[in-house]
Amino acid sequence: MEPPRAKRGRPPRTVVSARVPTVTPSAAHLASVRTPLLDWYDRNKRDLPWRRTKDPYAIWLSEVMLQQTQVATVIPYWERFLARFPTVLALAAAPLDDVLSGWKGLGYYSRARNLHRAAQEVVSRFGGKLPSTAAELLSLPGFGRYTSGAVASIAFGEQAPLVDGNVARVLSRLFEVEGLPGDREREATLWELATLLVKGERPGDFNQALMEHGATTCRPENPLCLLCPVRTGCVAFRKGRVDELPPAKVRAAPKKLTLALAVWAHADTLLFARRADSGLFGGLWELPAAEVDEDATEAETTLRLTGALGAGVKLEAMLGTVKRQLTHRDLTLRLYRVSGPLRPTRSAAFQELRWCTPSEAATLGMSTAMQRALEAAMTALK
DNA sequence: TACTCGTGGGC
DNA sequence: TGCCCAAGAGT
């Protein structure tokens, strides 16, 4: 079809749609990247446990765990989790509490809640078998564009693109893609490039090659350009712009969050509470916590804890403070030994209350922050 | 759109 | 040490 021609006497329309890529690579440029990168991957890929399996469930699990989490951290979690929940059916049938326990310490706990929900949907909607296309996967909880493309290409061989932090950096440099992380036009360009590149043989390996290259060679700082298999096709390398692309993302300063924790001992047990499913540490167990002002008085703290537990509380002693740095939270946990006339067994502020011995508590799903607080409390109580 | 949601490694 | 950030998704 002939392209529309600008009418005489009228300036041609300038296309500024955000969906039009600003980079239009030639077929030769694409080929100069695809083949060497795939060859490089075959020779240099790391021996990672999820690269030894073809089980889509196991691959899916690895992709979820790897979201915003480093490979070395994930490996032992992946192996333990798979041993505990070896199939989609086993995961779907397990109580959420057990799933969160298996995720304990890995962070971003909504991943575990969504994984569990998705497993149940795979059973109810797809007969227990993970669907094989990115479009279908996208409809499941916890499957965004990245994870859908990753599972579809790696586990099922679909020519589905993916863009993660590594791929964004690699493609930004190779094709000189401008713009800040989060910029719509930039994202559209990166996905368009990934879509063009993944077409061909072994799409799953090619996607992993892009990520592996970013993780090991085309690193954020001190990239190893002299060892790069595609540097001759890299626009940023040719122009000396490797250090400028991509620009660093601007991160908001962490906000302060202060929690008062009730350390309520009875016999050989402590009182524990399970948080609401949404929000920070959703669904996890904790020493019952209430948010307080940074400069809260003891009276205010008493009021907050009483309100949270729905039972009168007396502050007996300040046992210590645990500080914890999250990505966007500056967390302060204040430990108070408390007592009260009536020992609560349920409360409106929590999903569940439970009196547990330390060994029972060890099996509960609990954040690392709370784990540290619990250790501090046990030490102080001795 | 911009914010929320954890953790440990590396420098 | 303090600060950077890593195989993103949900709202």
Side-chain angles (χ1 to χ4, degrees):
Chain A
M1 193 167 97
E2 191 176 338
R5 191 177 298 187
K7 284 184 181 165
R8 184 188 299 267
R10 215 171 184 193
R13 186 199 295 262
T14 307
V15 178
V16 292
S17 164
R19 281 170 305 200
V20 175
T22 55
V23 176
T24 49
S26 67
H29 195 181
L30 290 171
S32 78
V33 167
R34 194 177 204 288
T35 304
L37 210 49
L38 207 43
D39 290 344
W40 171 87
Y41 178 71
D42 289 336
R43 292 192 308 272
N44 297 286
K45 67 179 175 187
R46 292 170 289 181
D47 179 22
L48 303 177
W50 42 88
R51 288 184 176 158
R52 299 181 200 160
T53 180
K54 300 182 96 173
D55 177 10
Y57 165 67
I59 292 168
W60 166 27
L61 179 64
S62 75
E63 289 302 336
V64 175
M65 286 188 167
L66 284 163
Q67 288 168 11
Q68 301 290 288
T69 308
Q70 294 173 348
V71 165
T73 303
V74 166
I75 290 174
Y77 276 95
W78 184 81
E79 289 172 341
R80 280 199 306 266
F81 197 95
L82 217 46
R84 188 165 173 181
F85 309 103
T87 64
V88 176
L89 286 171
L91 179 60
L96 174 60
D97 224 9
D98 290 358
V99 177
L100 288 171
S101 170
W103 207 268
K104 174 162 68 176
L106 196 53
Y108 283 139
Y109 299 92
S110 65
R111 294 183 295 175
R113 297 195 301 272
N114 286 331
L115 182 74
H116 186 233
R117 281 177 51 209
Q120 294 177 333
E121 284 192 26
V122 168
V123 171
S124 63
R125 291 171 51 201
F126 298 100
K129 221 175 146 191
L130 199 61
S132 63
T133 67
E136 290 172 297
L137 291 166
L138 197 54
S139 72
L140 291 166
F143 277 86
R145 208 172 172 187
Y146 165 81
T147 306
S148 300
V151 173
S153 64
I154 297 169
F156 297 110
E158 184 184 353
Q159 294 178 8
L162 61 77
V163 176
D164 73 333
N166 286 312
V167 175
R169 181 172 59 258
V170 170
L171 297 183
S172 296
R173 289 172 174 167
L174 280 173
F175 297 96
E176 196 180 30
V177 180
E178 310 283 357
L180 292 166
D183 177 76
R184 286 183 70 93
E185 190 174 348
R186 173 182 188 265
E187 306 302 324
T189 301
L190 293 172
W191 277 95
E192 179 63 24
L193 286 168
T195 302
L196 294 171
L197 281 165
V198 79
K199 299 245 186 284
E201 56 170 358
R202 298 165 56 201
D205 281 346
F206 177 75
N207 279 336
Q208 292 188 83
L210 268 180
M211 294 189 283
E212 187 86 347
H213 178 60
T216 63
T217 305
C218 195
R219 307 183 298 202
E221 306 289 334
N222 307 316
L224 308 175
C225 294
L226 294 181
L227 298 177
C228 176
V230 289
R231 70 174 178 279
T232 55
C234 180
V235 179
F237 180 73
R238 195 161 64 234
K239 295 189 177 179
R241 297 193 62 203
V242 171
D243 291 331
E244 319 173 7
L245 292 173
K249 53 184 99 165
V250 263
R251 195 182 290 259
K255 295 174 183 171
K256 288 184 180 178
L257 177 62
T258 306
L259 299 177
L261 305 187
V263 182
W264 194 334
H266 171 72
D268 58 347
T269 65
L270 287 178
L271 179 59
F272 289 88
R274 194 149 87 87
R275 295 173 64 87
D277 274 338
S278 62
L280 187 66
F281 304 134
L284 298 184
W285 288 87
E286 65 181 11
L287 291 168
E291 184 174 353
V292 295
D293 286 341
E294 191 183 356
D295 53 1
T297 63
E298 284 200 1
E300 288 163 348
T301 301
T302 301
L303 199 60
R304 293 287 184 185
L305 285 175
T306 292
L309 287 171
V313 160
K314 180 172 178 234
L315 301 190
E316 301 284 1
M318 209 318 182
L319 296 179
T321 297
V322 170
K323 284 189 172 294
R324 192 81 192 156
Q325 195 74 37
L326 312 184
T327 300
H328 57 283
R329 294 280 181 202
D330 201 349
L331 197 56
T332 301
L333 306 177
R334 292 185 184 152
L335 293 151
Y336 293 94
R337 187 161 64 78
V338 308
S339 64
L342 296 170
R343 284 181 287 111
T345 55
R346 57 183 182 172
S347 148
F350 299 106
Q351 296 198 53
E352 199 179 343
L353 295 181
R354 199 183 286 179
W355 295 84
C356 293
T357 64
S359 64
E360 287 166 347
T363 67
L364 300 175
M366 200 175 286
S367 69
T368 301
M370 194 55 57
Q371 203 89 3
R372 298 280 180 269
L374 183 55
E375 288 162 13
M378 300 302 292
T379 303
L381 286 177
K382 275 180 186 168

